[in-house]
């Protein structure tokens, strides 16, 4: 899930200790729990000795607590009798029950659970605890992220391939223009390359949860390298035509969807839970830096020869593939054989997401902000021109924005430790609304550039926190499908935003278009502030 640039990132956080970027997650299906293991309870309303609201800091009942309404996050649930819920049970604090704890959906908690009777759930019981989910053996210190061999291989290979892919993002339209002289053909090539991102995430997510993820990524890199090499050779031999460009760009886009979902779902299996937010912040910085460096690099390489950027892209995929071959850890937990069909698996991922109010609401908020950011890109360029920026000045504005995104990525783990997730979501949307108004009212290139870069700084703060939370509470067997569902919902607004930006510029001009986008962001920020599921999310960890 993403913001200013905007990936899904594809492309949600529970509390964590000071050195951790996210809590540990210990998934388990518990036939009986009588220890400080984990589970949790939360619901829109809880009926006990008296009616209470579960979205408050805690729920305490002297009698059995029964929740029949959709759940909401609660910090703590305590009852002297059984806890029974007809929906998923989620809590950010301890759950204490003298009777059974039962739920018709997943049970998740961010603290110990004490139960004197069995804990049953129709889905996985997930425990998120400040301790590590995969404890480091006694006497063996936790390896710092910068010395985690498998993470460095995964991160470094992806960084190189992202750089190559970003370079060809600018090289493809330049190539099509050189071949055809038609702006429409160049736009068609861009549309075809983005089409898999709209059509394939849901089935791809199901397959990512079914197939071995590392092997899938290796095949994706190999086939993407082959496709880029075909373009390079055809260009060098002067036999390249538009149909081949369209076919390869679509295939590369499809393979990138699979590779991206598998890579993101694999991160919790490569790093310990206490380093999850830090790892995601490094991934976020990697993507922002690739945009900042790869875009001008693509233009430079294309100037050296039509085949050069595609040859470089093919080599970058081979670097990523080589890194994957040397990774020792598996990218998924042990799986049981699946007998249900693709449709049922896709529905399972969508259903799991929809049953978690905070993730559901956050995904829709991301979709709303993505619409604004996609429209803003073109509006900002037109505004910069209107206030006197040269072509080089526009390029510098985009470059500074990329730098703001990198700085935001590096600041994200610190922010996650200090600010509650709900406050971060609300604050980010209001910050974007204010900065969007500054952009709309700016009269000089400097103010416009600073405000635009600040918007890119805010995005990673939300992306990293939201990503850590989502990966932390999602069972490994569902990660690909849940990521795909969130990506589909949040990124579905991107083509609408592109269309909206053009329509606004044609009808009301750049400044009024920017004011309209600022008004839209005020509505999104207001919705975030009023959303009960957002306001009830966990706070920062205790110090």
């Amino acid at each position: 899930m993403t913001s200013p640039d905007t990936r899904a990132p594809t492309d949600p956080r529970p509390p964590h200790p000071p050195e951790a970027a996210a809590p540990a997650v210990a998934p388990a299906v518990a036939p009986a729990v009588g220890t400080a293991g984990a589970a949790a309870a939360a619901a829109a309303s809880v009926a006990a000795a008296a009616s209470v609201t579960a979205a408050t800091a805690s729920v305490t009942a002297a009698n059995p607590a029964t929740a029949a309404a959709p759940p909401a996050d609660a910090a703590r649930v305590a009852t002297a009798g059984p806890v029974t819920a007809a929906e998923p049970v989620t809590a950010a604090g301890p759950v204490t029950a003298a009777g059974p704890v039962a739920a018709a959906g997943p049970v998740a908690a961010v603290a110990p659970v004490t139960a004197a009777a069995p804990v049953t759930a129709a889905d996985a019981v997930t425990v998120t605890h400040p301790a590590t989910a995969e404890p480091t053996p006694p006497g063996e210190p936790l390896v710092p992220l910068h010395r985690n061999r498998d993470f460095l291989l995964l991160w470094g290979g992806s960084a190189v391939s992202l750089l190559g892919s970003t370079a060809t993002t600018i090289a493809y339209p330049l190539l099509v223009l050189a071949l055809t002289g038609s702006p429409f053909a160049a736009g068609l090539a861009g549309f075809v390359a983005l089409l898999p991102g709209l059509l394939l995430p849901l089935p791809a997510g199901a397959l990512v949860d079914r197939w071995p993820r590392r092997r899938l990524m290796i095949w994706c890199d190999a086939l993407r390298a082959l496709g880029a090499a075909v373009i390079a050779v055809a260009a060098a031999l002067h036999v390249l035509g538009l149909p081949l460009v369209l076919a390869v760009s679509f295939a590369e886009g499809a393979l990138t969807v699979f590779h991206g979902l598998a890579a993101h779902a694999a991160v919790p299996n490569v790093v310990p839970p206490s380093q999850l937010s830090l790892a995601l912040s490094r991934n976020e910085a990697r993507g922002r830096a690739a945009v900042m460096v790869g875009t001008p690099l693509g233009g430079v390489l294309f100037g050296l020869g039509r085949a050069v950027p595609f040859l470089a892209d093919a080599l970058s995929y081979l670097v990523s593939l080589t890194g994957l071959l040397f990774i020792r850890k598996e990218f998924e937990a042990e799986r049981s054989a699946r007998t249900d069909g693709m449709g049922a698996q896709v529905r399972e991922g969508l259903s799991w997401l929809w049953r978690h109010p905070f993730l559901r609401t956050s995904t829709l908020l991301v979709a709303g902000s993505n619409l604004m950011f996609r429209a803003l890109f073109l509006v900002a360029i037109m505004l910069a021109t209107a206030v006197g920026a040269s072509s080089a000045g526009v390029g510098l504005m985009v470059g500074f924005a990329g730098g703001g995104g990198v700085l935001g990525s590096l600041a994200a783990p610190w922010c996650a430790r200090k600010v509650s997730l709900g406050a971060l979501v609300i604050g980010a949307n209001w910050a974007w609304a204010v900065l969007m108004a500054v952009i709309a009212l700016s009269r000089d290139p400097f103010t416009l550039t600073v405000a635009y870069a600040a918007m890119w700084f805010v995005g990673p703060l939300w992306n990293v926190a939201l990503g850590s939370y989502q990966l932390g509470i999602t069972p490994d067997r569902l990660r690909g499908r849940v990521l795909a569902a969130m990506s589909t919902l949040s990124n579905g607004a991107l083509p609408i935003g592109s269309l909206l930006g053009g329509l606004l510029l044609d009808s009301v001009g750049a400044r009024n278009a920017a004011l309209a986008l600022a008004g839209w962001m005020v509505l999104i920020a207001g919705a975030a502030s009023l959303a009960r599921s957002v306001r009830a999310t966990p706070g920062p960890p205790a110090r």
Side-chain angles (χ1 to χ4, degrees), residues 10 153-155 157-159 161-162 165 204-205 208 213-224 251-267 286 316-317 319-322 324 331 483:
T10 121
L153 286 170
L154 177 62
W155 188 93
S158 295
S161 67
L162 270 173
S165 299
V208 163
R213 290 171 185 156
R214 188 165 69 97
R215 190 182 307 168
L216 173 63
M217 293 171 65
I218 290 172
W219 275 106
C220 287
D221 277 338
L223 293 174
R224 291 192 295 178
E252 186 175 353
L255 293 166
T256 298
V257 170
F258 280 88
H259 190 281
L261 288 174
H264 198 64
V267 174
R286 177 190 65 198
S316 75
Y317 289 134
V319 170
S320 176
L321 185 156
T322 303
L324 289 169
F331 284 5
L483 285 168

Side-chain angles (χ1 to χ4, degrees), residues 33-34 41 61 64-65 77-84 94-102 112-119:
V33 175
V77 175
T79 167
V83 175
T84 305
V95 174
T96 305
V101 176
V113 163
T114 302
V119 175

Side-chain angles (χ1 to χ4, degrees), residues 40-486:
S45 64
V46 174
S51 178
V52 291
T53 303
T56 56
S58 65
V59 178
T60 304
N63 291 325
T66 303
D73 293 328
R76 179 170 64 87
V77 175
T79 167
V83 175
T84 305
E87 294 284 346
V89 173
T90 308
V95 174
T96 305
V101 176
V107 175
V110 187
V113 163
T114 302
V119 175
T120 59
D123 204 333
V125 176
T126 303
V127 178
T128 304
H129 192 274
T132 55
E134 298 176 2
T136 302
E140 182 179 327
L142 185 66
V143 177
L145 194 63
H146 67 272
R147 292 175 54 195
N148 183 326
R149 174 183 176 277
D150 289 337
F151 175 74
L152 292 178
L153 286 170
L154 177 62
W155 188 93
S158 295
V160 174
S161 67
L162 270 173
L163 190 63
S165 299
T166 307
T168 56
T169 299
I170 188 67
Y172 264 119
L174 292 175
L175 177 64
V176 173
L177 284 172
L179 290 173
T180 66
S182 167
F184 172 77
L188 178 63
F191 171 77
V192 169
L194 292 174
L195 193 58
L198 297 176
L199 300 179
L200 297 182
L202 290 176
L207 294 174
V208 163
D209 285 340
R210 177 183 292 185
W211 293 342
R213 290 171 185 156
R214 188 165 69 97
R215 190 182 307 168
L216 173 63
M217 293 171 65
I218 290 172
W219 275 106
C220 287
D221 277 338
L223 293 174
R224 291 192 295 178
L226 177 62
V230 167
I231 293 289
V233 171
L237 297 177
H238 304 288
V239 295
L240 184 62
L242 181 61
L244 179 60
V245 172
L246 296 179
V248 171
S249 62
F250 181 86
E252 186 175 353
L255 293 166
T256 298
V257 170
F258 280 88
H259 190 281
L261 288 174
H264 198 64
V267 174
N269 298 301
V270 177
V271 303
S274 62
Q275 295 176 345
L276 182 57
S277 281
L278 184 61
L280 292 181
S281 75
R282 297 296 182 262
N283 288 352
E284 187 82 13
R286 177 190 65 198
R288 307 281 174 164
V291 172
M292 185 171 58
V293 177
T295 303
L297 178 64
V300 171
L301 293 177
F302 190 83
L304 298 176
R306 294 181 182 180
V308 176
F310 301 97
L311 178 60
D313 194 24
L315 293 175
S316 75
Y317 289 134
L318 293 178
V319 170
S320 176
L321 185 156
T322 303
L324 289 169
L325 290 174
F326 284 94
I327 292 177
R328 297 169 183 155
K329 291 183 179 177
E330 296 297 331
F331 284 5
E332 63 279 320
E334 187 176 349
R335 298 166 173 170
S336 57
R338 300 300 301 257
T339 57
D340 47 348
M342 175 78 71
Q345 293 181 43
V346 169
R347 287 192 298 273
E348 185 181 12
L350 288 168
S351 176
W352 190 95
L353 173 62
W354 204 253
R355 293 199 308 265
H356 289 75
F358 173 74
L359 291 180
R360 179 182 70 222
T361 303
S362 296
T363 301
L364 295 176
L365 290 172
V366 170
S369 62
N370 276 354
L371 185 148
M372 184 274 296
F373 277 112
R374 181 60 70 175
L376 173 61
F377 182 73
L378 184 56
V379 171
I381 291 174
M382 298 300 294
L383 267 180
T385 304
V387 297
S390 63
S391 298
V394 172
L396 284 174
M397 179 186 74
V398 176
F400 275 113
V406 172
L407 293 176
S409 303
L410 299 178
W414 177 89
C415 187
R417 292 196 298 268
K418 299 292 185 180
V419 184
S420 72
L421 186 52
L424 186 58
V425 170
I426 294 170
N429 280 282
W430 279 112
W432 285 330
V434 171
L435 290 168
M436 189 64 241
V438 172
I439 288 174
L441 299 175
S442 62
R443 301 291 175 178
D444 61 90
F446 177 79
T447 303
L448 176 60
T449 298
V450 171
Y452 192 53
M455 294 189 78
W456 279 54
F457 175 87
V458 173
L461 304 181
W462 181 358
N463 288 349
V464 171
L466 187 62
S468 299
Y469 179 75
Q470 181 266 316
L471 287 174
I473 69 170
T474 306
D476 181 76
R477 65 181 183 83
L478 284 169
R479 280 183 186 142
R481 283 168 284 173
V482 172
L483 285 168
M486 296 176 73

Side-chain angles (χ1 to χ4, degrees), residues 459-529:
L461 304 181
W462 181 358
N463 288 349
V464 171
L466 187 62
S468 299
Y469 179 75
Q470 181 266 316
L471 287 174
I473 69 170
T474 306
D476 181 76
R477 65 181 183 83
L478 284 169
R479 280 183 186 142
R481 283 168 284 173
V482 172
L483 285 168
M486 296 176 73
S487 174
T488 300
L489 292 173
S490 60
N491 290 342
L494 293 178
I496 300 175
S498 295
L499 179 63
L500 178 64
L503 290 175
L504 285 173
L505 286 170
D506 281 345
S507 58
V508 299
R511 193 164 302 281
N512 287 332
L515 287 171
L517 295 178
W520 173 255
M521 273 314 304
V522 169
L523 293 177
I524 296 295
S529 302

